[in-house]
């Protein structure tokens, strides 16, 4: 009761309070010490660590992609370049209502169904925070339309970005040759060195773009930027430029390329022109071509399927990948082989009754000319393309000696041209047959090889290269496309030096002279190509050929329409030539698929190429169509010429492998 | 400066000095200058922390000036006035707190504001002053050291408003109200055995409390113990703040040069985490200077409290001064990862109005205690 009324001891309260204040000061000192110690730990002891963390926070390494090198032809005509382009990009992550965004964009910028499907295709293959192109090559008006309304798209992740887009002025004309660039795929990433591609989104996918990728690409540089917490770069701290890609000058002559493309017209096939003095490829055409631009910013599924399913196979580079039976174009090489082997006497005559029989066999190997050529020597045999003469020549030589010389000419091997993929074709040997079919080599197969049929297949490029080596009397150079490289920094041009090949049967120039002389007759009256070359102001050495097709098409799985089948069963026309015959400057090989005979459909292409190259203009007008009737009524000793190659083989070789191989037709490796 | 030093060290009223002249207007020159030094420094840091926004610095300066005016005005009333007004002030503050609970405005998901039409007002700020004043006034009327009953009544005075603030929820302010009230009790001579008992009870209840916590609250505690556990989520604030402070080093990156704050890596850079901006830009040296200023303020408050002429004045001054220190410690401690993150601003430096005004109002009462002394002490 009284306890609470007791008088307050004020002095005692004051003394007690002072005690508490001292305690409080002690407490403060203790807490302060904690703070200071902790600050020392952070700011002194761990300073370096946190400095690094702060720099990691703010600094971003950004790749600076190099500008891809340009591609020119030998005269400086542009074949591939980088075109400034405005691209409408969408960052999928930021486009929350994508359909709505697309609809609204469609009112400002032309967006086709194809653009949308392509965009969606690509969107699924790209990380969601990366921009995906919806439309490229926006017009100035479209860019303005978008930019004016930009504010409406602030929440859609849409933006117009300027960029460089690879462009190919020649379009389909050189599509297989130059190739194209495309997005770097996962498969590409598996093999490439990523530091060389930082900041780059495209890589050479085919053609020169692929084979010279390293030179064209250049080296990426990088810069360090300061970025805020949202990742937005605010300023540049350091810049290390990369090296732009080198400009390439190809040995190709764009005009020749165009001439060859035009001369082939509607035909499918390939034409290869080589300068035999250096191995430089002057023209390399494969028809039909495709639009390489389709691939540059990502092809849509439908267009790609259409290209793949096209029966003419436009994506397929016939000049390097098409393995065709060479037919009669093989005869000059067989002749060289025979002369070298000493089994062929150029002056000795062989009688051609229209067929050939192996000793002790009843089987008849037919000449394309049923009635036979009568007594023929080497000159006539090549000029008129007599099969029986070459059956005999091949038989005398034997397959082993044939193979060893044909191998020297480069058949059965890749030529080493600087393009990504090339077929070897097939140079059949005893060992190959044993391995493939577990069967011995039959003499009948030697006969077929002698006229360029049977198992033997070659690519148009091999045919051109072998002809070049023949023209150079067994010498010649490795074929190449790269003419000169321009240093991206100093702009110095470095010419590519031709690489000489080991000479085929050196010293035996007489054999080559003989055969070249005989080949000249082909373009002269009585020759199978006279109709095309009769008014040519230069000397031409040539050989026509027709390759039998029926039976080679088992790889066709799609049942085509009837008229298509008929077309597909027609023979391939082949033609090899060089000019001038005494001073070879250009070698041409032409394959025209299903075009009948080499003299009428393939030779005009070669004529046009040679005219253009040697004369600077095409003097030969009216290929196949107009030329046809004239020689037929010509009185200069070659009345049958136009029809010559048309029935050159069907009988001639189809009967040949029969004894050994009931299914010989089917056993020939697919040409594609 | 020599004048100021003489004021600190000299006896109550040296005639003719600047201090005496100011004291006549009930302004304590030492405390006043220290406060303005901190506030001035704070405005410089704020300029940097707001991304060089002069507008925000000016509006903060206006609030500080308002606070100084309130301080000077409150200093004019004698301490006896505050003691007499204590029940009314406390009752008024409670009324407002209840009002907030019933019809307050939502801000940042918490119900703290009362919209007065002209401005929004946070009644919990008032309670930061009302609670210690009420406890001090009550203890003045009781026999000290406080008996058990006295303690219970004091605790009731503290805990009821604290509870109302905590459910808003505003744990930071609740913590400061409890601190202010309990410190008044502590200065009132609360027996050590009660203190030890209370600490023991809290320690014993901790595991039980852990079980009662919400998941997010546990998460917060775990994150405090190991911020790197979730550097992009819950631990992001504290991780970035440590990076800012640590990268500042001994001398700092220089004013306006802090990358963490400028590039938005540091969240709440101009409010709760402004200490990290300061540390990053001015380094350990700058931080020690700031802590020295704060410590000087606290020491000055404790000196004033010891000169208090009655128990009410002493308890109130001691409580307000030490609460100010706790304020500083909690904010710095959470920014450097020493205590869990609670929403306590850095006094006089963080951007934000009411807390600065309340703080300065408290210092006004301290100045009243210092400048209304009669020559004859009780």
């Amino acid at each position: 009761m009284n306890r609470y009324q007791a008088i307050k001891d004020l002095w005692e309260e004051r003394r007690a309070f002072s005690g508490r204040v001292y305690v409080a000061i002690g407490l403060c000192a203790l807490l302060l010490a904690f703070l200071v110690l902790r600050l020392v730990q952070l700011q002194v002891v761990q300073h370096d660590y946190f400095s690094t963390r702060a720099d990691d926070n703010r600094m971003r390494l950004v790749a600076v992609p190099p500008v891809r090198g340009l591609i020119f032809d030998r005269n400086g005509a542009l074949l591939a370049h980088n075109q400034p382009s405005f691209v409408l990009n969408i960052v999928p992550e930021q486009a929350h209502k994508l359909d709505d965004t697309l609809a609204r964009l469609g009112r400002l910028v032309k967006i086709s169904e194809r653009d949308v499907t392509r965009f969606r295709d690509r969107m699924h293959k790209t990380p969601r925070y990366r921009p995906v192109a919806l439309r490229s090559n926006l017009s100035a008006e479209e860019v303005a339309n978008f930019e004016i309304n930009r504010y409406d798209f602030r929440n859609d992740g849409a933006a117009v970005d300027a960029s460089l887009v690879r462009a190919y002025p020649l379009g389909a004309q050189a599509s297989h040759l130059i190739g194209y660039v495309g997005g770097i795929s996962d498969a590409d990433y598996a093999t490439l060195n990523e530091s060389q591609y930082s900041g780059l989104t495209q890589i050479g996918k085919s053609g020169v773009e692929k084979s010279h990728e390293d030179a064209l690409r250049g080296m990426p540089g990088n810069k360090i930027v300061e970025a805020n917490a949202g990742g937005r770069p605010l300023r540049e701290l350091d810049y290390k430029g990369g090296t732009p890609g080198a400009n390439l000058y190809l040995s190709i002559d764009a005009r020749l390329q165009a001439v060859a493309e035009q001369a082939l017209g509607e035909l499918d096939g390939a034409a290869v022109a080589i300068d035999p003095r250096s191995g430089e490829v002057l023209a390399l055409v494969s028809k039909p071509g495709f639009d390489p631009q389709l691939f540059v910013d990502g092809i849509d599924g439908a267009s790609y399927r259409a290209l793949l399913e096209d029966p003419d196979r436009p994506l397929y580079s016939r000049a390097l990948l098409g393995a065709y039976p060479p037919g009669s174009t093989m005869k000059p090489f067989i002749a060289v082989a025979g002369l070298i082997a000493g089994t062929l006497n150029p002056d000795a005559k062989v009688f051609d009754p229209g067929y050939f029989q192996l000793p002790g066999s009843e089987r008849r190997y037919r000449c394309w000319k049923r009635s036979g050529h009568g007594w023929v020597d080497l000159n006539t045999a090549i000029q008129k393309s007599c099969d029986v003469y070459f059956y005999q020549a091949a038989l005398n030589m034997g397959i082993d000696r044939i193979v060893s010389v044909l191998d020297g000419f480069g058949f059965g091997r890749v030529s080493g041209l600087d393009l990504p993929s090339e077929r070897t074709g097939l140079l059949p040997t005893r060992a190959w047959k044993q391995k493939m079919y577990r069967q011995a080599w039959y003499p009948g197969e030697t006969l077929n090889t002698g006229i360029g049929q049977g198992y033997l297949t070659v690519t148009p490029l091999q045919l051109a290269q072998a002809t070049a080596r023949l023209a150079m009397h067994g010498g010649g150079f490795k074929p190449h496309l790269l003419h000169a490289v321009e240093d991206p920094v100093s702009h110095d041009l470095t010419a590519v030096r031709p690489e000489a090949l080991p000479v085929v049967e050196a010293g035996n120039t007489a054999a080559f002279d003989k055969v070249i002389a005989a080949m000249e007759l082909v373009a002269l009256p009585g020759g199978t190509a006279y109709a095309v070359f009769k008014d040519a102001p230069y000397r031409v050495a040539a050989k026509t050929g027709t390759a039998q097709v029926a039976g080679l098409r088992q790889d066709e799985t799609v049942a085509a329409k009837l008229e298509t089948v008929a077309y597909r069963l027609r023979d391939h026309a082949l033609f090899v030539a060089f000019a001038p015959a005494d001073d070879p400057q250009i070698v041409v090989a032409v394959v025209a698929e299903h075009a009948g005979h080499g003299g009428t459909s393939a030779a005009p292409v070669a004529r046009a190429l040679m005219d253009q190259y040697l004369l600077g203009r095409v003097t030969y007008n009216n290929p196949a169509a107009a030329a046809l009737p004239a020689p037929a009524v010509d009185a200069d000793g070659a009345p049958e010429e136009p029809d010559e190659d048309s029935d050159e083989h069907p009988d001639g070789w189809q009967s040949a492998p029969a004894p050994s191989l009931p299914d010989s037709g089917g056993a020939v490796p697919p040409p594609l | 400066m020599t004048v100021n030093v003489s004021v600190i060290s000299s006896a109550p009223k040296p005639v003719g000095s600047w201090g005496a002249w100011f004291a006549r207007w009930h302004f304590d020159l030492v405390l006043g200058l220290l406060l303005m030094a901190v506030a001035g420094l704070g405005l410089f840091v704020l300029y940097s922390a707001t991304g060089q926004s002069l507008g925000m610095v000016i509006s903060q300066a206006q609030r500080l000036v308002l606070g100084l005016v309130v301080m000077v005005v409150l200093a004019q009333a004698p301490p006896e006035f505050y003691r007499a007004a204590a029940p009314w002030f406390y009752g008024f503050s409670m009324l407002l707190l209840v009002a907030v609970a019933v019809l307050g405005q939502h801000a940042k998901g918490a119900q703290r504001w009362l919209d007065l039409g002209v401005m929004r007002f946070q009644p919990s700020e008032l309670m930061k002053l009302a609670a210690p004043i009420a406890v001090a006034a009550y203890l003045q009327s009781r026999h000290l050291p406080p008996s058990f009953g006295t303690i219970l009544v004091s605790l009731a005075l503290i805990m009821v408003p604290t509870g109302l603030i905590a459910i808003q929820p505003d744990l930071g302010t609740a913590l400061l109200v409890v601190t202010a009230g309990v410190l008044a009790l502590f200065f009132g001579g609360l027996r050590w055995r009660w203190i030890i008992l209370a600490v023991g009870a809290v320690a014993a209840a901790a595991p039980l409390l852990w079980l009662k916590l919400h998941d997010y609250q546990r998460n917060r505690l775990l994150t405090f113990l190991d911020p790197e556990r979730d550097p992009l989520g819950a631990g992001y604030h504290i991780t970035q703040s440590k990076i800012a402070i640590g990268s500042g080093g001994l001398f700092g990156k220089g004013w306006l040069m802090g990358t963490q704050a400028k590039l938005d890596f540091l969240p709440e850079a101009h409010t709760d985490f402004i200490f990290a901006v300061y540390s990053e830009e001015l380094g350990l040296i700058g931080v020690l200077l700031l802590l020295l200023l704060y410590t000087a303020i606290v020491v000055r408050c404790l000196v004033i409290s010891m000169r208090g002429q009655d128990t009410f004045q002493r308890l109130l001054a001691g409580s307000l001064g030490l609460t100010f220190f706790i304020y500083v410690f909690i904010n710095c401690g959470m920014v450097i990862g020493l205590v869990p993150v609670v929403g306590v601003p850095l006094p006089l430096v963080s951007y934000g109005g009411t807390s600065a005004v309340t703080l300065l109002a408290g210092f006004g009462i301290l100045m009243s205690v210092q400048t209304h002394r009669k020559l004859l002490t009780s």
Side-chain angles (χ1 to χ4, degrees):
Chain A
M1 340 241 146
N2 258 357
R3 243 161 48 122
Y4 296 107
Q5 260 98 57
I7 294 171
K8 285 163 71 88
D9 183 346
L10 297 177
W11 284 108
E12 172 56 24
E13 282 187 13
R14 182 163 205 163
R15 199 195 55 75
F17 177 79
S18 297
R20 288 298 160 97
V21 168
Y22 296 132
V23 171
I25 289 176
L27 191 73
C28 289
L30 187 70
L31 293 180
L32 214 53
F34 274 133
L35 285 184
V36 171
L37 282 177
R38 175 67 166 172
L39 282 163
V40 168
Q41 184 197 11
L42 292 177
Q43 298 196 285
V44 178
V45 180
Q46 294 182 295
H47 170 61
D48 289 344
Y49 166 72
F50 283 117
S51 282
T52 312
R53 295 272 313 255
D55 285 345
D56 287 351
N57 265 350
R58 72 190 176 102
M59 292 195 211
R60 298 264 191 290
L61 190 69
V62 179
V64 181
V67 176
R68 197 171 176 84
L70 309 181
I71 304 178
F72 298 98
D73 86 339
R74 61 187 304 121
N75 303 312
L78 208 48
L79 303 180
H81 64 122
N82 308 307
Q83 214 166 34
S85 164
F86 288 101
V87 181
L88 178 57
N89 283 321
I90 294 182
V91 179
E93 193 178 57
Q94 294 169 15
H96 302 294
K97 285 181 277 177
L98 190 55
D99 293 330
D100 173 60
T101 303
L102 292 176
R104 284 186 296 131
L105 283 171
R107 275 173 238 141
L108 301 172
V109 172
K110 209 179 285 168
I111 296 170
S112 65
E113 278 293 307
R114 183 169 162 270
D115 290 327
V116 173
T117 47
R118 210 162 52 148
F119 169 76
R120 290 187 190 279
D121 282 355
R122 276 183 297 214
M123 192 174 80
H124 294 303
K125 295 175 194 153
T126 318
R128 292 190 49 77
Y129 60 88
R130 294 277 296 271
V132 177
L134 173 62
R135 254 287 314 274
S136 47
N137 287 318
L138 297 184
S139 69
E141 196 189 332
E142 287 174 317
V143 173
N145 269 348
F146 177 81
E147 291 298 336
I148 290 167
N149 296 289
R150 196 188 182 121
Y151 185 74
D152 298 339
F153 294 93
R154 63 195 182 284
N155 296 324
D156 296 285
V160 169
D161 297 313
S163 66
L164 291 175
V165 170
R166 198 70 164 166
Y168 302 103
L170 296 197
Q173 219 172 72
S175 47
H176 302 102
L177 164 68
I178 297 162
Y180 51 84
V181 296
I184 305 175
S185 67
D186 289 345
D188 294 326
Y189 271 123
T191 52
L192 56 77
N193 176 350
E194 284 200 37
S195 70
Q196 296 174 339
Y197 284 86
S198 44
L200 286 171
T201 56
Q202 297 203 309
I203 188 172
K205 289 285 190 184
S206 77
V208 171
E209 291 276 29
K210 183 176 184 182
S211 61
H212 291 292
E213 166 70 16
D214 284 341
L216 288 167
R217 183 191 58 241
M219 274 307 284
N222 55 53
K223 57 183 176 181
I224 297 173
V225 297
E226 187 173 84
N228 68 5
R232 177 186 296 275
L234 299 175
R235 71 192 168 115
E236 206 171 283
L237 301 176
D238 186 32
Y239 181 89
K240 239 186 326 187
T243 317
N247 294 339
L248 303 187
Y249 286 82
L250 300 187
S251 56
I252 293 293
D253 183 329
R255 285 167 305 184
L256 273 188
Q257 189 81 10
V259 163
E261 216 257 353
Q262 253 166 36
L264 275 167
E266 293 302 305
L267 295 172
D268 291 351
V272 181
I274 295 179
D275 182 339
R277 297 165 299 178
S278 62
E280 290 193 336
V281 176
L282 302 171
L284 190 74
V285 174
S286 174
K287 285 211 59 167
F290 58 92
D291 179 7
Q293 212 65 48
L294 281 176
F295 290 87
V296 173
D297 41 27
I299 191 167
D300 61 300
S303 305
Y304 191 53
R305 258 194 311 282
L307 283 174
L308 282 181
E309 287 168 6
D310 187 330
D312 290 333
R313 309 184 67 175
L315 292 182
Y316 175 70
S317 172
R318 289 166 162 78
L320 274 75
L321 298 175
Y324 302 90
S328 301
T329 56
M330 194 49 47
K331 286 172 182 167
F333 303 102
I334 299 292
V336 171
L339 291 171
I340 288 169
T343 56
L344 189 68
N345 179 349
D347 303 320
K349 294 198 170 180
V350 171
F351 185 75
D352 169 19
Y355 59 88
F356 181 81
Q357 281 174 310
L358 282 167
S361 163
E362 287 299 306
R363 174 153 205 103
R364 287 182 172 188
Y365 293 85
R366 294 234 174 94
C367 185
W368 64 268
K369 189 172 177 185
R370 302 259 168 142
S371 55
H373 289 96
W375 288 99
V376 288
D377 61 3
L378 178 60
N379 280 347
T380 322
I382 287 187
Q383 186 188 27
K384 310 246 182 219
S385 201
C386 171
D387 288 341
V388 168
Y389 183 89
F390 282 96
Y391 289 141
Q392 186 64 59
L395 186 65
N396 292 349
M397 221 179 326
I399 187 66
D400 299 333
R401 280 188 281 198
I402 293 176
V403 163
S404 100
V405 174
L406 291 189
D407 175 70
F409 277 106
F411 292 111
R413 283 185 284 131
V414 292
S415 72
L417 182 72
D418 42 342
L419 278 180
S421 45
E422 192 186 338
R423 281 273 164 84
T424 59
L426 178 64
L427 180 59
T429 62
R430 290 180 198 276
W432 169 82
K433 181 154 186 227
Q434 187 61 44
K435 195 172 161 221
M436 208 62 194
Y437 297 103
R438 307 201 172 286
Q439 275 179 347
W441 184 267
Y442 293 102
E445 290 160 351
T446 305
L447 301 190
N448 280 323
T449 308
I451 61 159
Q453 293 286 176
Y455 302 118
L456 183 66
T457 58
V458 304
T459 67
L461 175 66
Q462 279 177 334
L463 208 51
Q465 171 64 5
T467 308
R469 306 201 64 189
L470 194 150
M472 297 297 286
H473 291 74
F477 300 87
K478 188 169 153 185
H480 60 271
L481 278 167
L482 196 55
H483 180 64
V485 180
E486 182 182 341
D487 186 283
V489 181
S490 66
H491 296 285
D492 291 339
L493 274 179
T494 310
V496 174
R497 302 182 62 168
E499 189 184 323
L501 293 170
V503 180
V504 182
E505 296 298 331
N508 204 336
T509 48
F512 289 98
D513 284 335
K514 273 269 179 247
V515 174
I516 291 170
M519 286 172 77
E520 279 198 73
L521 297 175
V522 174
L524 293 174
T528 50
Y530 172 64
V532 174
F533 284 97
K534 59 181 176 181
D535 60 347
Y538 43 81
R539 287 168 62 186
V540 179
K543 184 69 195 82
T544 56
T546 304
Q548 215 274 337
V549 168
L552 295 179
R553 281 274 165 182
Q554 318 82 355
D555 60 310
E556 297 266 298
T557 50
V558 182
K561 289 178 196 156
L562 203 62
E563 61 264 34
T564 322
V565 173
Y567 166 77
R568 301 237 162 256
L569 289 174
R570 277 181 234 160
D571 300 335
H572 295 323
L574 292 94
F575 189 75
V576 297
F578 58 90
D582 52 342
D583 173 28
Q585 293 172 25
I586 179 171
V587 171
V588 178
V590 179
V591 174
E593 289 184 2
H594 314 297
H597 27 87
T600 48
S601 46
V605 178
R607 170 76 200 267
L609 277 169
M610 290 174 163
D611 277 4
Q612 174 65 39
Y613 191 67
L614 297 172
L615 311 175
R617 65 201 168 85
V618 180
T619 56
Y620 178 80
N621 293 319
N622 279 337
L628 262 168
V633 289
D634 215 356
D636 57 8
E640 307 168 343
E641 295 312 335
D643 295 323
E644 183 254 354
D645 275 353
S646 64
D647 45 353
E648 190 173 3
H649 331 123
D651 298 34
W653 81 263
Q654 222 173 11
S655 53
S660 58
L661 293 168
D663 60 340
S664 66
V668 175
L672 300 187
Chain B
M1 282 314 272
T2 45
V3 177
N4 295 342
V5 171
S6 76
V7 170
I8 294 173
S9 56
S10 67
K13 287 191 176 177
V15 183
S17 72
W18 280 96
W21 188 85
F22 275 105
R24 209 175 302 157
W25 298 100
H26 305 291
F27 186 85
D28 183 55
L29 193 58
V30 178
L31 192 54
L33 286 178
L34 286 170
L35 290 172
M36 284 192 273
V38 171
L41 204 55
L43 289 178
F44 271 96
V45 188
L46 191 66
Y47 180 65
S48 176
T50 54
Q52 305 179 23
S53 158
L54 206 56
M56 287 174 87
V57 170
I58 289 171
S59 85
Q60 178 74 359
Q62 286 169 345
R63 289 195 199 103
L64 286 169
V65 168
L66 174 70
L68 287 172
V69 170
V70 168
M71 179 178 83
V72 170
V73 168
L74 290 184
Q76 305 309 311
E80 290 75 21
F81 167 77
Y82 295 105
R83 198 177 70 193
W88 302 103
F89 183 37
Y90 183 82
F92 177 67
S93 302
M94 275 301 288
L95 204 69
L96 289 183
L97 270 183
V98 173
V100 163
V102 178
L103 41 85
Q105 296 285 311
H106 282 267
K108 276 192 181 174
Q111 200 169 47
R112 300 174 184 177
W113 305 89
L114 204 57
D115 201 333
L116 300 183
V118 194
M119 60 176 284
R120 289 190 304 170
F121 176 72
Q122 217 171 334
S124 55
E125 288 293 332
L126 273 187
M127 196 43 94
K128 284 185 190 169
L129 293 175
I133 290 174
V135 173
Y138 172 67
L139 290 179
Q140 158 82 12
S141 69
R142 311 305 294 178
H143 205 77
L144 295 180
S147 65
F148 187 68
T150 305
I151 295 170
L152 281 187
V153 173
S154 303
L155 284 179
L157 284 174
I158 299 164
M159 295 317 290
V160 172
T162 300
L164 282 173
I165 295 168
I167 59 168
Q168 285 181 354
D170 182 356
L171 290 175
T173 307
L175 194 67
L176 289 171
V177 171
V178 169
T179 306
V182 168
L183 283 177
L185 253 180
F186 167 79
F187 283 117
L190 181 65
R191 288 187 192 285
W192 284 109
R193 70 176 91 110
W194 292 117
I195 296 174
I196 293 165
L197 208 66
V199 171
V202 170
L208 279 172
L209 205 63
W210 176 256
L211 292 175
K212 283 269 181 188
L213 283 178
H214 291 292
D215 276 350
Y216 80 90
Q217 287 168 322
R218 281 184 207 178
N219 226 11
R220 213 190 241 190
L221 273 172
L222 286 173
T223 304
F224 159 64
L225 294 174
D226 179 15
E228 305 285 332
R229 203 172 72 100
D230 185 11
L232 291 180
Y236 182 78
H237 282 46
I238 191 64
T239 302
Q240 292 303 331
S241 146
K242 278 162 68 181
I243 291 173
I245 296 166
S247 64
L250 203 53
F251 301 104
K253 297 174 182 171
W255 185 54
L256 300 179
M257 308 284 274
T259 57
Q260 285 285 101
K262 205 174 68 183
L263 302 174
D264 302 334
F265 290 103
L266 189 66
E268 311 277 347
H270 63 288
T271 56
D272 287 357
F273 281 79
I274 198 166
F275 183 70
V277 180
Y278 183 93
S279 309
E280 184 185 19
E281 298 192 346
L282 300 178
L284 185 60
I285 303 293
V287 171
L288 290 179
L289 173 72
L290 181 67
L291 289 180
L292 195 70
L293 287 173
Y294 277 132
T295 309
I297 291 172
V298 174
V299 168
R300 180 65 185 170
C301 291
L302 292 177
V303 166
I304 291 173
S305 76
M306 284 175 79
R307 290 183 188 161
Q309 288 188 312
D310 62 22
T311 303
F312 169 73
Q313 293 177 23
R314 287 192 290 266
L315 297 192
L316 182 57
S319 157
L320 290 177
L322 201 54
T323 303
F324 180 77
F325 178 80
I326 298 296
Y327 231 116
V328 173
F329 177 77
I330 291 181
N331 179 268
C332 295
M334 84 183 189
V335 170
I336 64 181
L338 218 51
V339 300
V341 174
V342 281
V344 173
L346 186 64
L348 302 176
V349 176
S350 284
Y351 184 81
T354 35
S355 82
V357 174
T358 317
L359 273 166
L360 288 169
F363 287 114
I365 295 171
L366 270 156
M367 286 188 179
S368 158
V369 169
Q370 163 71 0
T371 57
H372 285 88
R373 277 181 293 146
K374 293 151 188 125
L375 280 175
L376 269 177
T377 57
S378 56

